[in-house]
Amino acid sequence: MATTPRGPASYFPSIEAKYGRTIAEWKSAMTESGHTTFKDLVAWLKTEHGFGHGHASAITQHHLNPEKWSS
């Protein structure tokens, strides 16, 4: 039985479909952006890439604290 993603990862399929990159590609772009805080990364995703607030927050939470969301 496959497990259903929980937490921020539950948004990943829709993020990939809507914004045209894999999560790994987005996380790499986030690292390369030079932004390091939650607030700055969310703002960057929203202003530069058109993310909605929920999607930007979800991927940023996972990017900054992946150990918290791995099971």
Side-chain angles (χ1 to χ4, degrees):
M1 177 188 295
T3 59
T4 303
R6 297 173 48 149
S10 67
Y11 288 89
F12 290 176
S14 59
I15 290 171
E16 290 178 338
K18 186 167 185 170
Y19 304 106
R21 294 185 189 178
T22 67
I23 296 303
E25 290 170 330
W26 280 115
K27 286 184 173 188
S28 178
M30 293 168 78
T31 299
E32 293 170 5
S33 76
H35 298 292
T36 58
T37 67
F38 180 84
K39 180 180 175 181
D40 289 346
L41 283 164
V42 168
W44 177 76
L45 287 167
K46 291 169 68 173
T47 59
E48 297 295 320
H49 298 286
F51 270 59
H53 185 77
H55 284 161
S57 295
I59 194 169
T60 300
Q61 285 177 20
H62 199 276
H63 175 68
L64 292 176
N65 298 295
E67 67 285 346
K68 179 178 179 181
W69 302 105
S70 61
S71 42

